[in-house]
Amino acid sequence: MKNKKTVEISDAEWEIMRMVWTLQTATSRKIIDNLKQKKSWKEATVKTLLRRLVQKEVLRTTTQGRSFIYHPVINEQEAINLMVRGVFQKICQHHVGTTLLNVVQELPLAKGDIEKLQQALKQKYPNAPEELPCDCLPGMHQVCCSENESMENC
């Protein structure tokens, strides 16, 4: 991938990537057949999405006879990390902690994941600032990030 700072993959493209990550390599026929069955997508739709993923340098293709074989250029966890980092770059950093807390409270987590989170937070705590600054508009902290205001203004 050219720029590993972000990954812009649509929801439909994620469907294809999850399949290729699971299979590690997949022919276009296998991807098309699976998505026809799973999502009722037309062959042309799947081919268009595959072409876009190759253009985005998230997938690479090789040929074997008349078959196109797709290989992931980026691993699944790396893509997830880049996607999540991109989402957090779009919100005011003053809201990052609350947003993470909401995610942790709402999503199911395994005990092992909870232990890793606790350890990471314990290590991060001594060097953490008391508060992260608002990075919306200069001088707008009271309006945008007040505990009494909603995040709609950000």
Side-chain angles (χ1 to χ4, degrees):
M1 255 175 80
K2 286 180 185 174
N3 181 2
K4 290 202 175 192
K5 292 181 182 173
T6 61
V7 64
E8 297 289 333
I9 300 174
S10 71
D11 291 346
E13 292 166 342
W14 272 101
E15 287 289 331
I16 290 174
M17 290 305 300
R18 289 188 68 199
M19 186 179 303
V20 176
W21 284 319
T22 300
L23 298 171
Q24 297 179 2
T25 62
T27 63
S28 54
R29 178 54 40 208
K30 185 166 189 97
I31 295 167
I32 290 164
D33 290 345
N34 281 326
L35 288 171
K36 260 187 189 178
Q37 191 174 37
K38 183 179 179 183
K39 297 283 189 178
S40 300
W41 289 355
K42 294 187 182 336
E43 185 171 328
T45 301
V46 177
K47 286 182 177 181
T48 297
L49 293 169
L50 286 167
R51 187 183 75 250
R52 287 181 188 165
L53 288 165
V54 170
Q55 289 171 341
K56 292 178 181 185
E57 298 182 6
V58 178
L59 282 180
R60 70 179 172 83
T61 186
T62 57
T63 54
Q64 190 174 58
R66 296 183 66 192
S67 297
F68 286 96
I69 302 171
Y70 292 88
H71 313 269
V73 172
I74 184 171
N75 75 46
E76 185 174 13
Q77 190 60 57
E78 186 179 3
I80 292 167
N81 293 347
L82 289 170
M83 178 189 63
V84 170
R85 218 174 283 127
V87 169
F88 278 94
Q89 288 172 351
K90 294 175 186 173
I91 65 172
C92 175
Q93 68 179 353
H94 186 78
H95 296 295
V96 168
T98 302
T99 303
L100 282 173
L101 178 61
N102 289 335
V103 168
V104 167
Q105 289 173 334
E106 290 178 19
L107 296 178
L109 295 168
K111 288 182 179 181
D113 293 329
I114 294 169
E115 289 171 1
K116 289 176 191 172
L117 283 167
Q118 288 173 329
Q119 186 61 33
L121 290 170
K122 187 176 180 180
Q123 289 174 352
K124 203 166 186 77
Y125 186 82
N127 298 320
E130 288 298 318
E131 184 177 297
L132 290 175
C134 170
D135 61 351
C136 295
L137 295 173
M140 294 298 291
H141 176 70
Q142 283 73 27
V143 174
C144 179
C145 299
S146 170
E147 294 298 325
N148 298 324
E149 294 288 325
S150 70
M151 288 178 27
E152 291 174 9
N153 295 324
C154 288

